[in-house]
PDB file of all heavy atoms in Angstrom:
ATOM      1  N   LEU A1277     106.174 158.634  65.634  1.00  0.00           N
ATOM      2  CA  LEU A1277     105.282 157.551  65.208  1.00  0.00           C
ATOM      3  C   LEU A1277     105.537 156.315  66.049  1.00  0.00           C
ATOM      4  O   LEU A1277     106.681 156.011  66.393  1.00  0.00           O
ATOM      5  CB  LEU A1277     105.531 157.182  63.743  1.00  0.00           C
ATOM      6  CG  LEU A1277     105.043 158.121  62.667  1.00  0.00           C
ATOM      7  CD1 LEU A1277     105.402 157.565  61.290  1.00  0.00           C
ATOM      8  CD2 LEU A1277     103.554 158.332  62.768  1.00  0.00           C
ATOM      9  N   LEU A1278     104.479 155.605  66.343  1.00  0.00           N
ATOM     10  CA  LEU A1278     104.568 154.335  67.048  1.00  0.00           C
ATOM     11  C   LEU A1278     104.413 153.234  66.007  1.00  0.00           C
ATOM     12  O   LEU A1278     103.463 153.237  65.232  1.00  0.00           O
ATOM     13  CB  LEU A1278     103.448 154.249  68.089  1.00  0.00           C
ATOM     14  CG  LEU A1278     103.451 153.075  69.032  1.00  0.00           C
ATOM     15  CD1 LEU A1278     104.713 153.088  69.888  1.00  0.00           C
ATOM     16  CD2 LEU A1278     102.219 153.133  69.921  1.00  0.00           C
ATOM     17  N   SER A1279     105.363 152.304  65.964  1.00  0.00           N
ATOM     18  CA  SER A1279     105.353 151.235  64.961  1.00  0.00           C
ATOM     19  C   SER A1279     105.167 149.880  65.626  1.00  0.00           C
ATOM     20  O   SER A1279     105.637 149.656  66.736  1.00  0.00           O
ATOM     21  CB  SER A1279     106.681 151.252  64.192  1.00  0.00           C
ATOM     22  OG  SER A1279     106.793 150.113  63.370  1.00  0.00           O
ATOM     23  N   GLY A1280     104.535 148.988  64.910  1.00  0.00           N
ATOM     24  CA  GLY A1280     104.378 147.611  65.380  1.00  0.00           C
ATOM     25  C   GLY A1280     105.500 146.703  64.917  1.00  0.00           C
ATOM     26  O   GLY A1280     105.424 145.477  65.067  1.00  0.00           O
ATOM     27  N   MET A1281     106.562 147.306  64.358  1.00  0.00           N
ATOM     28  CA  MET A1281     107.692 146.520  63.856  1.00  0.00           C
ATOM     29  C   MET A1281     108.228 145.619  64.960  1.00  0.00           C
ATOM     30  O   MET A1281     108.452 146.060  66.079  1.00  0.00           O
ATOM     31  CB  MET A1281     108.788 147.467  63.371  1.00  0.00           C
ATOM     32  CG  MET A1281     109.893 146.781  62.617  1.00  0.00           C
ATOM     33  SD  MET A1281     109.366 146.045  61.063  1.00  0.00           S
ATOM     34  CE  MET A1281     109.088 147.498  60.076  1.00  0.00           C
ATOM     35  N   GLY A1282     108.395 144.355  64.641  1.00  0.00           N
ATOM     36  CA  GLY A1282     108.912 143.381  65.599  1.00  0.00           C
ATOM     37  C   GLY A1282     107.827 142.510  66.212  1.00  0.00           C
ATOM     38  O   GLY A1282     108.125 141.458  66.773  1.00  0.00           O
ATOM     39  N   ALA A1283     106.570 142.915  66.088  1.00  0.00           N
ATOM     40  CA  ALA A1283     105.486 142.140  66.690  1.00  0.00           C
ATOM     41  C   ALA A1283     105.298 140.790  65.996  1.00  0.00           C
ATOM     42  O   ALA A1283     105.032 139.779  66.662  1.00  0.00           O
ATOM     43  CB  ALA A1283     104.183 142.937  66.659  1.00  0.00           C
ATOM     44  N   ASP A1284     105.444 140.747  64.671  1.00  0.00           N
ATOM     45  CA  ASP A1284     105.301 139.463  63.964  1.00  0.00           C
ATOM     46  C   ASP A1284     106.366 138.469  64.412  1.00  0.00           C
ATOM     47  O   ASP A1284     106.086 137.284  64.564  1.00  0.00           O
ATOM     48  CB  ASP A1284     105.382 139.663  62.454  1.00  0.00           C
ATOM     49  CG  ASP A1284     104.116 140.269  61.882  1.00  0.00           C
ATOM     50  OD1 ASP A1284     103.028 139.921  62.364  1.00  0.00           O
ATOM     51  OD2 ASP A1284     104.215 141.077  60.947  1.00  0.00           O
ATOM     52  N   GLU A1285     107.585 138.953  64.610  1.00  0.00           N
ATOM     53  CA  GLU A1285     108.653 138.072  65.074  1.00  0.00           C
ATOM     54  C   GLU A1285     108.395 137.608  66.508  1.00  0.00           C
ATOM     55  O   GLU A1285     108.575 136.443  66.834  1.00  0.00           O
ATOM     56  CB  GLU A1285     110.013 138.793  65.000  1.00  0.00           C
ATOM     57  CG  GLU A1285     110.519 139.037  63.600  1.00  0.00           C
ATOM     58  CD  GLU A1285     109.933 140.274  62.924  1.00  0.00           C
ATOM     59  OE1 GLU A1285     109.141 141.002  63.561  1.00  0.00           O
ATOM     60  OE2 GLU A1285     110.266 140.521  61.765  1.00  0.00           O
ATOM     61  N   LEU A1286     107.945 138.504  67.336  1.00  0.00           N
ATOM     62  CA  LEU A1286     107.726 138.190  68.745  1.00  0.00           C
ATOM     63  C   LEU A1286     106.504 137.298  68.969  1.00  0.00           C
ATOM     64  O   LEU A1286     106.540 136.364  69.772  1.00  0.00           O
ATOM     65  CB  LEU A1286     107.570 139.491  69.535  1.00  0.00           C
ATOM     66  CG  LEU A1286     107.478 139.397  71.036  1.00  0.00           C
ATOM     67  CD1 LEU A1286     108.726 138.752  71.616  1.00  0.00           C
ATOM     68  CD2 LEU A1286     107.285 140.780  71.646  1.00  0.00           C
ATOM     69  N   PHE A1287     105.424 137.580  68.234  1.00  0.00           N
ATOM     70  CA  PHE A1287     104.170 136.858  68.448  1.00  0.00           C
ATOM     71  C   PHE A1287     103.864 135.839  67.347  1.00  0.00           C
ATOM     72  O   PHE A1287     102.737 135.385  67.219  1.00  0.00           O
ATOM     73  CB  PHE A1287     103.013 137.850  68.589  1.00  0.00           C
ATOM     74  CG  PHE A1287     103.168 138.761  69.776  1.00  0.00           C
ATOM     75  CD1 PHE A1287     103.344 140.115  69.596  1.00  0.00           C
ATOM     76  CD2 PHE A1287     103.158 138.259  71.067  1.00  0.00           C
ATOM     77  CE1 PHE A1287     103.493 140.965  70.686  1.00  0.00           C
ATOM     78  CE2 PHE A1287     103.309 139.097  72.157  1.00  0.00           C
ATOM     79  CZ  PHE A1287     103.477 140.450  71.968  1.00  0.00           C
ATOM     80  N   LEU A1288     104.872 135.486  66.557  1.00  0.00           N
ATOM     81  CA  LEU A1288     104.761 134.459  65.516  1.00  0.00           C
ATOM     82  C   LEU A1288     103.623 134.771  64.537  1.00  0.00           C
ATOM     83  O   LEU A1288     102.710 133.982  64.343  1.00  0.00           O
ATOM     84  CB  LEU A1288     104.585 133.072  66.147  1.00  0.00           C
ATOM     85  CG  LEU A1288     105.651 132.667  67.162  1.00  0.00           C
ATOM     86  CD1 LEU A1288     105.289 131.369  67.853  1.00  0.00           C
ATOM     87  CD2 LEU A1288     107.017 132.580  66.530  1.00  0.00           C
ATOM     88  N   GLY A1289     103.720 135.912  63.891  1.00  0.00           N
ATOM     89  CA  GLY A1289     102.655 136.380  63.010  1.00  0.00           C
ATOM     90  C   GLY A1289     102.866 136.158  61.531  1.00  0.00           C
ATOM     91  O   GLY A1289     102.036 136.564  60.725  1.00  0.00           O
ATOM     92  N   TYR A1290     103.947 135.524  61.128  1.00  0.00           N
ATOM     93  CA  TYR A1290     104.204 135.297  59.707  1.00  0.00           C
ATOM     94  C   TYR A1290     103.636 133.956  59.258  1.00  0.00           C
ATOM     95  O   TYR A1290     103.453 133.035  60.055  1.00  0.00           O
ATOM     96  CB  TYR A1290     105.707 135.328  59.413  1.00  0.00           C
ATOM     97  CG  TYR A1290     106.344 136.677  59.547  1.00  0.00           C
ATOM     98  CD1 TYR A1290     107.384 136.892  60.453  1.00  0.00           C
ATOM     99  CD2 TYR A1290     105.923 137.761  58.776  1.00  0.00           C
ATOM    100  CE1 TYR A1290     107.989 138.136  60.570  1.00  0.00           C
ATOM    101  CE2 TYR A1290     106.519 139.005  58.887  1.00  0.00           C
ATOM    102  CZ  TYR A1290     107.547 139.188  59.784  1.00  0.00           C
ATOM    103  OH  TYR A1290     108.136 140.414  59.906  1.00  0.00           O
ATOM    104  N   ALA A1291     103.400 133.834  57.959  1.00  0.00           N
ATOM    105  CA  ALA A1291     102.858 132.587  57.401  1.00  0.00           C
ATOM    106  C   ALA A1291     103.788 131.402  57.674  1.00  0.00           C
ATOM    107  O   ALA A1291     103.318 130.288  57.898  1.00  0.00           O
ATOM    108  CB  ALA A1291     102.623 132.745  55.901  1.00  0.00           C
ATOM    109  N   GLY A1292     105.086 131.635  57.657  1.00  0.00           N
ATOM    110  CA  GLY A1292     106.035 130.559  57.935  1.00  0.00           C
ATOM    111  C   GLY A1292     105.860 129.958  59.310  1.00  0.00           C
ATOM    112  O   GLY A1292     106.126 128.769  59.523  1.00  0.00           O
ATOM    113  N   HIS A1293     105.380 130.760  60.246  1.00  0.00           N
ATOM    114  CA  HIS A1293     105.122 130.236  61.594  1.00  0.00           C
ATOM    115  C   HIS A1293     103.959 129.244  61.560  1.00  0.00           C
ATOM    116  O   HIS A1293     103.989 128.218  62.245  1.00  0.00           O
ATOM    117  CB  HIS A1293     104.801 131.373  62.565  1.00  0.00           C
ATOM    118  CG  HIS A1293     105.902 132.381  62.667  1.00  0.00           C
ATOM    119  ND1 HIS A1293     105.656 133.729  62.663  1.00  0.00           N
ATOM    120  CD2 HIS A1293     107.242 132.251  62.760  1.00  0.00           C
ATOM    121  CE1 HIS A1293     106.797 134.378  62.757  1.00  0.00           C
ATOM    122  NE2 HIS A1293     107.772 133.510  62.817  1.00  0.00           N
ATOM    123  N   GLN A1294     102.955 129.552  60.749  1.00  0.00           N
ATOM    124  CA  GLN A1294     101.816 128.635  60.605  1.00  0.00           C
ATOM    125  C   GLN A1294     102.249 127.338  59.924  1.00  0.00           C
ATOM    126  O   GLN A1294     101.812 126.253  60.302  1.00  0.00           O
ATOM    127  CB  GLN A1294     100.691 129.305  59.821  1.00  0.00           C
ATOM    128  CG  GLN A1294     100.086 130.501  60.523  1.00  0.00           C
ATOM    129  CD  GLN A1294      99.531 130.132  61.888  1.00  0.00           C
ATOM    130  OE1 GLN A1294      98.824 129.144  62.034  1.00  0.00           O
ATOM    131  NE2 GLN A1294      99.848 130.921  62.893  1.00  0.00           N
ATOM    132  N   LEU A1295     103.120 127.452  58.909  1.00  0.00           N
ATOM    133  CA  LEU A1295     103.619 126.252  58.237  1.00  0.00           C
ATOM    134  C   LEU A1295     104.436 125.395  59.203  1.00  0.00           C
ATOM    135  O   LEU A1295     104.361 124.165  59.167  1.00  0.00           O
ATOM    136  CB  LEU A1295     104.467 126.637  57.027  1.00  0.00           C
ATOM    137  CG  LEU A1295     103.735 127.344  55.890  1.00  0.00           C
ATOM    138  CD1 LEU A1295     104.698 127.678  54.758  1.00  0.00           C
ATOM    139  CD2 LEU A1295     102.566 126.533  55.383  1.00  0.00           C
ATOM    140  N   THR A1296     105.185 126.031  60.072  1.00  0.00           N
ATOM    141  CA  THR A1296     105.964 125.295  61.070  1.00  0.00           C
ATOM    142  C   THR A1296     105.041 124.557  62.032  1.00  0.00           C
ATOM    143  O   THR A1296     105.290 123.396  62.376  1.00  0.00           O
ATOM    144  CB  THR A1296     106.899 126.259  61.831  1.00  0.00           C
ATOM    145  OG1 THR A1296     107.790 126.851  60.890  1.00  0.00           O
ATOM    146  CG2 THR A1296     107.681 125.546  62.911  1.00  0.00           C
ATOM    147  N   LEU A1297     103.969 125.196  62.453  1.00  0.00           N
ATOM    148  CA  LEU A1297     103.000 124.537  63.328  1.00  0.00           C
ATOM    149  C   LEU A1297     102.371 123.336  62.619  1.00  0.00           C
ATOM    150  O   LEU A1297     102.258 122.246  63.195  1.00  0.00           O
ATOM    151  CB  LEU A1297     101.924 125.529  63.766  1.00  0.00           C
ATOM    152  CG  LEU A1297     100.862 124.995  64.710  1.00  0.00           C
ATOM    153  CD1 LEU A1297     101.484 124.517  66.022  1.00  0.00           C
ATOM    154  CD2 LEU A1297      99.808 126.061  64.987  1.00  0.00           C
ATOM    155  N   MET A1298     101.982 123.530  61.354  1.00  0.00           N
ATOM    156  CA  MET A1298     101.422 122.413  60.576  1.00  0.00           C
ATOM    157  C   MET A1298     102.429 121.272  60.478  1.00  0.00           C
ATOM    158  O   MET A1298     102.070 120.100  60.629  1.00  0.00           O
ATOM    159  CB  MET A1298     101.032 122.875  59.168  1.00  0.00           C
ATOM    160  CG  MET A1298      99.742 123.642  59.098  1.00  0.00           C
ATOM    161  SD  MET A1298      99.365 124.274  57.433  1.00  0.00           S
ATOM    162  CE  MET A1298      99.669 122.904  56.372  1.00  0.00           C
ATOM    163  N   ALA A1299     103.691 121.606  60.216  1.00  0.00           N
ATOM    164  CA  ALA A1299     104.723 120.579  60.076  1.00  0.00           C
ATOM    165  C   ALA A1299     104.898 119.795  61.376  1.00  0.00           C
ATOM    166  O   ALA A1299     105.142 118.586  61.341  1.00  0.00           O
ATOM    167  CB  ALA A1299     106.043 121.203  59.643  1.00  0.00           C
ATOM    168  N   SER A1300     104.774 120.481  62.508  1.00  0.00           N
ATOM    169  CA  SER A1300     104.918 119.768  63.786  1.00  0.00           C
ATOM    170  C   SER A1300     103.805 118.742  63.955  1.00  0.00           C
ATOM    171  O   SER A1300     104.021 117.680  64.545  1.00  0.00           O
ATOM    172  CB  SER A1300     104.965 120.748  64.956  1.00  0.00           C
ATOM    173  OG  SER A1300     103.720 121.366  65.164  1.00  0.00           O
ATOM    174  N   TYR A1301     102.604 119.022  63.434  1.00  0.00           N
ATOM    175  CA  TYR A1301     101.519 118.039  63.459  1.00  0.00           C
ATOM    176  C   TYR A1301     101.794 116.909  62.466  1.00  0.00           C
ATOM    177  O   TYR A1301     101.566 115.737  62.753  1.00  0.00           O
ATOM    178  CB  TYR A1301     100.176 118.693  63.140  1.00  0.00           C
ATOM    179  CG  TYR A1301      99.720 119.709  64.169  1.00  0.00           C
ATOM    180  CD1 TYR A1301      99.123 120.892  63.772  1.00  0.00           C
ATOM    181  CD2 TYR A1301      99.882 119.485  65.533  1.00  0.00           C
ATOM    182  CE1 TYR A1301      98.695 121.832  64.706  1.00  0.00           C
ATOM    183  CE2 TYR A1301      99.455 120.417  66.464  1.00  0.00           C
ATOM    184  CZ  TYR A1301      98.872 121.583  66.045  1.00  0.00           C
ATOM    185  OH  TYR A1301      98.448 122.510  66.972  1.00  0.00           O
ATOM    186  N   PHE A1302     102.291 117.276  61.287  1.00  0.00           N
ATOM    187  CA  PHE A1302     102.572 116.280  60.258  1.00  0.00           C
ATOM    188  C   PHE A1302     103.693 115.341  60.684  1.00  0.00           C
ATOM    189  O   PHE A1302     103.750 114.211  60.218  1.00  0.00           O
ATOM    190  CB  PHE A1302     102.937 116.968  58.933  1.00  0.00           C
ATOM    191  CG  PHE A1302     101.757 117.193  58.031  1.00  0.00           C
ATOM    192  CD1 PHE A1302     100.751 118.075  58.384  1.00  0.00           C
ATOM    193  CD2 PHE A1302     101.655 116.520  56.821  1.00  0.00           C
ATOM    194  CE1 PHE A1302      99.667 118.292  57.561  1.00  0.00           C
ATOM    195  CE2 PHE A1302     100.577 116.732  55.986  1.00  0.00           C
ATOM    196  CZ  PHE A1302      99.577 117.617  56.351  1.00  0.00           C
ATOM    197  N   ASP A1303     104.579 115.793  61.544  1.00  0.00           N
ATOM    198  CA  ASP A1303     105.681 114.943  62.006  1.00  0.00           C
ATOM    199  C   ASP A1303     105.170 113.713  62.743  1.00  0.00           C
ATOM    200  O   ASP A1303     105.887 112.716  62.859  1.00  0.00           O
ATOM    201  CB  ASP A1303     106.636 115.724  62.908  1.00  0.00           C
ATOM    202  CG  ASP A1303     107.515 116.673  62.130  1.00  0.00           C
ATOM    203  OD1 ASP A1303     107.603 116.540  60.884  1.00  0.00           O
ATOM    204  OD2 ASP A1303     108.121 117.564  62.756  1.00  0.00           O
ATOM    205  N   ASN A1304     103.936 113.750  63.221  1.00  0.00           N
ATOM    206  CA  ASN A1304     103.356 112.616  63.946  1.00  0.00           C
ATOM    207  C   ASN A1304     102.668 111.617  63.022  1.00  0.00           C
ATOM    208  O   ASN A1304     102.225 110.570  63.480  1.00  0.00           O
ATOM    209  CB  ASN A1304     102.356 113.117  64.992  1.00  0.00           C
ATOM    210  CG  ASN A1304     103.032 113.946  66.055  1.00  0.00           C
ATOM    211  OD1 ASN A1304     104.130 113.624  66.505  1.00  0.00           O
ATOM    212  ND2 ASN A1304     102.410 115.041  66.450  1.00  0.00           N
ATOM    213  N   LEU A1305     102.593 111.941  61.739  1.00  0.00           N
ATOM    214  CA  LEU A1305     101.965 111.033  60.773  1.00  0.00           C
ATOM    215  C   LEU A1305     102.946 109.942  60.355  1.00  0.00           C
ATOM    216  O   LEU A1305     104.163 110.148  60.373  1.00  0.00           O
ATOM    217  CB  LEU A1305     101.534 111.792  59.512  1.00  0.00           C
ATOM    218  CG  LEU A1305     100.399 112.797  59.643  1.00  0.00           C
ATOM    219  CD1 LEU A1305     100.199 113.525  58.315  1.00  0.00           C
ATOM    220  CD2 LEU A1305      99.115 112.114  60.070  1.00  0.00           C
ATOM    221  N   PRO A1306     102.412 108.799  59.928  1.00  0.00           N
ATOM    222  CA  PRO A1306     103.303 107.788  59.345  1.00  0.00           C
ATOM    223  C   PRO A1306     103.994 108.374  58.106  1.00  0.00           C
ATOM    224  O   PRO A1306     103.418 109.213  57.407  1.00  0.00           O
ATOM    225  CB  PRO A1306     102.355 106.647  58.959  1.00  0.00           C
ATOM    226  CG  PRO A1306     101.106 106.889  59.731  1.00  0.00           C
ATOM    227  CD  PRO A1306     101.028 108.359  59.996  1.00  0.00           C
ATOM    228  N   GLN A1307     105.200 107.913  57.809  1.00  0.00           N
ATOM    229  CA  GLN A1307     106.004 108.482  56.727  1.00  0.00           C
ATOM    230  C   GLN A1307     105.285 108.433  55.381  1.00  0.00           C
ATOM    231  O   GLN A1307     105.351 109.382  54.604  1.00  0.00           O
ATOM    232  CB  GLN A1307     107.364 107.787  56.635  1.00  0.00           C
ATOM    233  CG  GLN A1307     108.300 108.389  55.602  1.00  0.00           C
ATOM    234  CD  GLN A1307     108.569 109.875  55.828  1.00  0.00           C
ATOM    235  OE1 GLN A1307     108.785 110.304  56.954  1.00  0.00           O
ATOM    236  NE2 GLN A1307     108.555 110.657  54.764  1.00  0.00           N
ATOM    237  N   PHE A1308     104.561 107.350  55.090  1.00  0.00           N
ATOM    238  CA  PHE A1308     103.899 107.259  53.779  1.00  0.00           C
ATOM    239  C   PHE A1308     102.812 108.323  53.632  1.00  0.00           C
ATOM    240  O   PHE A1308     102.638 108.895  52.560  1.00  0.00           O
ATOM    241  CB  PHE A1308     103.356 105.843  53.518  1.00  0.00           C
ATOM    242  CG  PHE A1308     102.026 105.545  54.163  1.00  0.00           C
ATOM    243  CD1 PHE A1308     100.835 105.752  53.478  1.00  0.00           C
ATOM    244  CD2 PHE A1308     101.969 105.056  55.462  1.00  0.00           C
ATOM    245  CE1 PHE A1308      99.615 105.465  54.075  1.00  0.00           C
ATOM    246  CE2 PHE A1308     100.756 104.779  56.068  1.00  0.00           C
ATOM    247  CZ  PHE A1308      99.565 104.987  55.372  1.00  0.00           C
ATOM    248  N   LEU A1309     102.095 108.640  54.709  1.00  0.00           N
ATOM    249  CA  LEU A1309     101.079 109.697  54.644  1.00  0.00           C
ATOM    250  C   LEU A1309     101.724 111.073  54.520  1.00  0.00           C
ATOM    251  O   LEU A1309     101.246 111.938  53.791  1.00  0.00           O
ATOM    252  CB  LEU A1309     100.190 109.669  55.890  1.00  0.00           C
ATOM    253  CG  LEU A1309      99.054 108.683  55.909  1.00  0.00           C
ATOM    254  CD1 LEU A1309      98.304 108.750  57.232  1.00  0.00           C
ATOM    255  CD2 LEU A1309      98.101 108.934  54.759  1.00  0.00           C
ATOM    256  N   LYS A1310     102.818 111.237  55.226  1.00  0.00           N
ATOM    257  CA  LYS A1310     103.557 112.494  55.159  1.00  0.00           C
ATOM    258  C   LYS A1310     104.071 112.726  53.732  1.00  0.00           C
ATOM    259  O   LYS A1310     103.929 113.811  53.166  1.00  0.00           O
ATOM    260  CB  LYS A1310     104.707 112.448  56.163  1.00  0.00           C
ATOM    261  CG  LYS A1310     105.393 113.742  56.421  1.00  0.00           C
ATOM    262  CD  LYS A1310     106.383 113.539  57.570  1.00  0.00           C
ATOM    263  CE  LYS A1310     107.423 114.600  57.602  1.00  0.00           C
ATOM    264  NZ  LYS A1310     108.431 114.398  58.625  1.00  0.00           N
ATOM    265  N   SER A1311     104.640 111.694  53.136  1.00  0.00           N
ATOM    266  CA  SER A1311     105.165 111.796  51.770  1.00  0.00           C
ATOM    267  C   SER A1311     104.044 112.012  50.759  1.00  0.00           C
ATOM    268  O   SER A1311     104.185 112.823  49.837  1.00  0.00           O
ATOM    269  CB  SER A1311     105.962 110.548  51.410  1.00  0.00           C
ATOM    270  OG  SER A1311     107.104 110.456  52.208  1.00  0.00           O
ATOM    271  N   LEU A1312     102.944 111.291  50.919  1.00  0.00           N
ATOM    272  CA  LEU A1312     101.804 111.448  50.009  1.00  0.00           C
ATOM    273  C   LEU A1312     101.248 112.864  50.096  1.00  0.00           C
ATOM    274  O   LEU A1312     101.003 113.514  49.074  1.00  0.00           O
ATOM    275  CB  LEU A1312     100.711 110.424  50.337  1.00  0.00           C
ATOM    276  CG  LEU A1312      99.430 110.530  49.511  1.00  0.00           C
ATOM    277  CD1 LEU A1312      99.717 110.252  48.041  1.00  0.00           C
ATOM    278  CD2 LEU A1312      98.377 109.567  50.047  1.00  0.00           C
TER     279      LEU A1312
END
């Protein structure tokens, strides 16, 4: 059998990767907007 195991780790396919990308955008917001 051929498995795709490891592709999510390699190509950033998990939901946590999307949250990390969102957080990198939020890091540029003023602190009060980030906290709100």
Side-chain angles (χ1 to χ4, degrees):
L1277 286 180
L1278 186 62
S1279 171
M1281 190 65 71
D1284 285 323
E1285 290 82 2
L1286 186 60
F1287 298 115
L1288 306 173
Y1290 291 120
H1293 301 136
Q1294 296 302 313
L1295 295 180
T1296 299
L1297 181 61
M1298 282 176 46
S1300 70
Y1301 295 139
F1302 268 67
D1303 285 345
N1304 296 320
L1305 292 175
Q1307 184 57 43
F1308 81 92
L1309 278 178
K1310 192 173 161 184
S1311 295
L1312 177 64

